[in-house]
Amino acid sequence: MRNLTNIECIIADCPPEPPLKAVSWDAAHDSLIIAFGPSAKSSLISVKRLRQQSSKATKDESSQIRQEDVAQEIASWDAQCPLPDLDCDEVLCLHYFADDSTACLVFCGGDIVIVREEPLEDQDKIEVVGSVDAGITAAKWSPDEELLAITTREGTLLFMTRDFDSVTDVALSKEDLDASRHVSVGWGKSETQFKGKRAKALRDPTMPEHIDEGTLSPLDRRRVALSWRGDGAFVAISSIESDTRRVIRVYSRDCALDSVSEPIDGLEGALSWRPAGNLIASIQRSNDSVRVVFFERNGLRHGQFDLRLSKEEMQSWGADIQLEWNTDSSVLAVHFKDRVQLWTMGNYHYYLKQEILLSDIETFPSMVLAKWHSEKPLRLVLCSKENLKITEYASMTSGGSTTPPNDFGALGVIDGRGLKLTPLRRANVPPPMALHEVFGDSNIVEVAFSQSGSRVAILHQTSFCIYSWDPKSTSSPKQIQYHDLDFPSPHEKPQTQQICFLRDSEVFVLVSSLNVSTIIGYKLDSEGSQILKSWHVSDLQVVRLFARSDNERICIETADNGVAVSDVSRDSLTFEKVISLSTRLPWIELIHLKQKSISFGLSSNGVLYANEQILVRNCTSFMITTAHLIYTTTNHLLKFVHMNDVENLEVPPDEPETDERCRNIERGARLVTVMPSSFSLILQMPRGNLETIYPRALVLAGLRKSVASKDYKKAFFACRNHRVDMNILHDHAPIQFVQNVALFVQQIKKVEHIDLFLSSLRNEDVSKIMYKETYPSGSDLPTPLGDGGDIDIKESDKVDMIRPSKVNRICDAFLAVLSNRSSTNIQNIITAHVCKQPPDLEAGLSVVDNLKRENPELADTAVEHICFLADVNRLFDSALGLYKLDLALLIAQQSQKDPREYLPYLQGLQEMEELRRRFAIDNDLKRYSKGLRHLHEMNAFDELKSYTVSKGLYQEAFDIYRYQVGNLNQLIQLYAEHLDSKAAFKEAGIAYEFLSDYGKAIQAYRSAGCWREALSCASLALLPASEITDLAVVLADTLYESKDYFSAATLYLDYRDDVETAARYFCKGLFFADAMRMIGLKGRHDLFESVIDQGLGEGLANSTELLAECKAQLNAQVPRLREVRTKREEDPLAYFGGDPATTADNDIPDNVSLAPTDASTAGAGGSLFTRYTNRTSTSRASTSRGRKREERKRARGKKGSVYEEEYLVNSIRRLMERVESVREEVGRLIEALVRRRMRERAMAVEKAMAEVVGMCEACREEVFGSGPNVAVEAPAELNVQPEKTTPGTEEYGASENQGVVAARRTDPIPPPIKAFERLSLLGSEA
């Protein structure tokens, strides 16, 4: 579907004497090496370098350069022909070696000459390095420039190295024809096709009707031709054997004969091996046609195509033909006497894309020389007697507009004189077929489409014509205009290059002439049949002529890498440069966006530019629409970039699985055209076949546009056809949608389609989640109004929009609209109720129940529909919940329920009284609260009490009987007993006390440890003083066991007046101040020494021991933590157990030759995964026992395991929390020691406490830092369970106050540590 567009044409005059004989490319400098002479008139040979002129040269400068001969001479000498039968010598091969600036010339007379452009001191500029006495018939260097293949007049093949040493030689003998014995089995022949039952008996299908004998063509020039395969492994030689048959021999690089071609009648000497290596091209001439025939390496025929020459043309300029493939095997150049044709292949059809005329046959009877560039595939040089033409092409699609509504996908494919036209949006016709085909009088150069796509401009060599057609219909195009081009200087041999349409009424043609470009413009009338005016713009050097994306301006790309836009006035055409590019871009498009012009261009090496900014470096093709830049990559991906300012263009990542802007395509696919109106995009595969896809980004762009314009019908069917989540219809413009639900229903109409939309609703916003990437960066997500900016949004609507349930809001809006359409949309009404979240089944069933009374026939349909939407069992329960037994029966009949089950059940309910029936239904549906109220309405209090106890409905019962004191007390009594049975003793005691049951209240409070409440109830129960005292003693002992020493001391003091016991309890809790006050109050001064001093000693010992343990733990664990973290940072792999080289003793079993087993993979040779998890692929899933075992190992924190750091951090955290909790106790101890004149002991405790607090403050930042270092996890990419360890490992640094099993801590906040305030009486330092 691509044409060859001429993007460069440089013309240079050639001197008449000596004539140009050979040409070669210097790829390093992109210049030409040309050999002039010798001729029959002169034996002078001149080798010159032709450099490309500056792109900024003006017309006058170009003319001056030609007059002074732009070619720079390298060397010249006289070459006398050593063979007497030749009039003059001839250059058979000219090859330039760019690495050492040397040109090699091989002459027909046998000499091999090298010309050094920059010789060294000991080197000659011109040197004859070899000679073949018999003469040379053909010569060719291999693609790697390491071997020179030469055929001699004696029928031998020579191979020479780069140093011109002879490698080997072999004779071309008649016996070579026996090397290949070809057998044809008729594949692809018409004889092998099925033609009927009796066709088999006619003849043998393996025997062809005509057998070629290799008859020579009468126009055969009897030349020998050489051609290497692209990799240099084989070389093909076409020569005449025994003056009877032309043979193509294939030799390997070692000069071994590989194959010989089968006999072909009329085979001529043209030969070119396709660089890809699969085909060898040659020419076959018959009486009525000339064909390019192809051979495989084994010598068998493999296809052909006709050159489409008439008999007159075959005898004139088609009498001598040569072939040459370009470097990437995409174009075959066919050389004639006065022209060169460029052929391409797609879907096994060969297209004639360009025909380049060079000279007149009468003045130049010899062949046109053509040479492809070795690095630029579509750049070639053409040489004739009169001039030299350097031309370059680009493979481009010639298509119509991609801007809606004119995006018909119109494409024009050039094939010689014919143009294949196809509007792909209407008819996706695979190539080489087409919907329409038009033919001209001469071969077509270029084609262009108008803005509306209704006109097609076809450019020929000297004229152009306009065709009118309707891309929306199947009518054939009609020619409405034919006009010869008004060349400004016909004598300067103009070359037509490109044609372009501006809107529908102006046509522009780009013409090159002697390195200066001219743009010829024509203005057509409204019918397109007449030319109103024309104008010329000269003195330009234009590479590309194209229309802006909106087809409102003509754009050009100049040779100085600039992009200019036209300013069309009534009398003239001027261009204004808008963008400067950093390099020449053969493929370029311009779009006008936000009052700025943005150019997108693709270089020949795959770099995609936006103005001068590089977007990607692996692009293969691109197209633009008003919304997207679309391109393909060498990674076989299709990507979409949202149109924006150049600075804000966001290239999507290579993530087709997660990003809707990127998708996989077939290898080598290229863009052909894009049609946003139909959300489609056409790709062409390397073979030539077309593929139509509907990318999600393109679909969503068109869908959003439809939603914004309130075309909900088109948007809905786009979602339905392309499987797009229908929530986007609402989420893109939510307020607009809710306000236009009536319009939505009116456009969609069909009940089934409305149901499909309602059933697809869900609460998440797909525009922000699923399709977030398809919105341009910086746009609002979602666009609240789309294009409906004139909608008046009320404040109440805004409040409605922020309600939590989107689904319910939409369903309510549909119910409001459909409420007046119950006769036609009753199905949608039911769907709207059922699709709510949670489903409003009762409302839907109520609609069915009303229909059952008003329209029984419609009710049956409604029942079927609601049973289809929801679970029948839930519907049956909901119908029962409405207490509609007839409705429940109707639902049950639509289900798979057994009538033997539900009929007796419904009959039993029918026989009950109304309230009893409702109670039974609510009880069966587990709606116990409602059932409780029905029991209340039936005045069945005894049944209500047992029902309350069995179902635990105490709160509901309290609410019902809150004004009936007697019944309420009975219910509270039941509740108190329930709380007592559940061990909720405090609440049970309060309930008993509320009922004045103080005995049970005392027991409940006593069990709960509430000594104040228990003693209060004992006094209210008027118990004897002795019983109250005994109760207080029991409570005090309980409090002492629970370490509530202050409360226990208070009870002994208040109820037993036992001052000594109370003082001991106060001292046990380190409440020395309270103990001293009480002793002084009671006058028991003797207890100071016996109780207070003794308690101080015990408190001093316990505190000193605790602080010493804390200090030792910090000294052990903080350095170890530092060591573990250092090891983890230095070698994380070894830390997590993944590197067997770092394990202890480096004991790695030698089991590499064994099959993988649990024993082998669990050892030191396991992978990172198995080393870390100790699992193989056959491991079973972890059980609860395994998880508990892992938690125990995590709590133990085995030394050297991955859990150690977590264990150490958590241990230090608990230590700090413990130190902070004993701060007040130690402070009370120090104060009491000083008050009892034990200053030295107080100073010792204070010093120990200050040291521990200081150590905690010092290591706090190191241990916890600023991040969550407390929980050490394996690398995130593993996503596995922690490693297993063996039990019995030595533990260290564990305090007895830390417990055995430590819970995992994930709190990143370090524990607070307050500064310890010392007692000033003891001094600043202890």
Side-chain angles (χ1 to χ4, degrees), residues 947-1109:
Y947 193 73
T948 298
V949 172
S950 62
K951 305 301 181 185
L953 303 175
Y954 298 101
Q955 305 301 327
E956 291 81 354
F958 295 160
D959 184 62
I960 294 173
Y961 289 97
R962 60 183 179 275
Y963 300 120
Q964 301 178 23
V965 178
N967 294 338
L968 181 61
N969 289 339
Q970 295 184 44
L971 292 172
I972 292 177
Q973 178 70 29
L974 294 174
Y975 186 53
E977 294 174 357
H978 169 73
L979 292 174
D980 207 355
S981 65
K982 296 294 184 181
F985 299 113
K986 184 175 181 179
E987 292 189 19
I990 294 174
Y992 284 128
E993 188 173 0
F994 175 82
L995 298 173
S996 300
D997 190 350
Y998 298 115
K1000 292 184 178 180
I1002 292 172
Q1003 295 298 325
Y1005 284 136
R1006 177 180 173 183
S1007 300
C1010 300
W1011 59 274
R1012 296 178 182 83
E1013 291 82 354
L1015 292 172
S1016 175
C1017 289
S1019 62
L1020 291 175
L1022 303 178
L1023 293 178
S1026 58
E1027 293 184 11
I1028 293 177
T1029 302
D1030 294 340
L1031 176 62
V1033 171
V1034 172
L1035 291 172
D1037 293 341
T1038 302
L1039 292 172
Y1040 182 84
E1041 292 176 358
S1042 62
K1043 297 184 179 180
D1044 188 358
Y1045 302 114
F1046 192 91
S1047 298
T1050 302
L1051 286 176
Y1052 267 99
L1053 181 63
D1054 293 345
Y1055 290 90
R1056 290 287 302 270
D1057 198 21
D1058 188 348
V1059 178
E1060 183 177 356
T1061 303
R1064 292 186 184 278
Y1065 284 4
F1066 276 128
C1067 293
K1068 187 67 174 178
L1070 301 182
F1071 298 101
F1072 296 102
D1074 293 280
M1076 293 179 184
R1077 182 193 64 81
M1078 180 192 65
I1079 291 174
L1081 178 64
K1082 299 298 182 179
R1084 294 290 304 275
H1085 299 284
D1086 57 314
L1087 297 179
F1088 277 104
E1089 295 183 359
S1090 60
V1091 175
I1092 299 298
D1093 293 347
Q1094 183 179 356
L1096 286 173
E1098 293 177 358
L1100 176 63
N1102 293 334
S1103 299
T1104 304
E1105 182 181 0
L1106 172 64
L1107 296 174
E1109 290 180 355

Side-chain angles (χ1 to χ4, degrees), residues 469-522:
W469 74 318
D470 184 4
K472 294 180 288 186
S473 68
T474 57
S475 59
S476 300
K478 297 180 180 179
Q479 181 174 326
I480 60 175
Q481 174 67 35
Y482 180 88
H483 189 75
D484 291 328
L485 291 173
D486 303 326
F487 293 117
S489 301
H491 63 280
E492 293 185 354
K493 304 169 186 176
Q495 172 70 42
T496 55
Q497 289 183 266
Q498 301 167 27
I499 190 169
C500 179
F501 241 118
L502 180 61
R503 293 183 285 271
D504 285 352
S505 59
E506 297 177 10
V507 177
F508 296 87
V509 178
L510 175 63
V511 179
S512 290
S513 168
L514 295 177
N515 305 329
V516 177
S517 302
T518 301
I519 297 177
I520 309 174
Y522 299 92

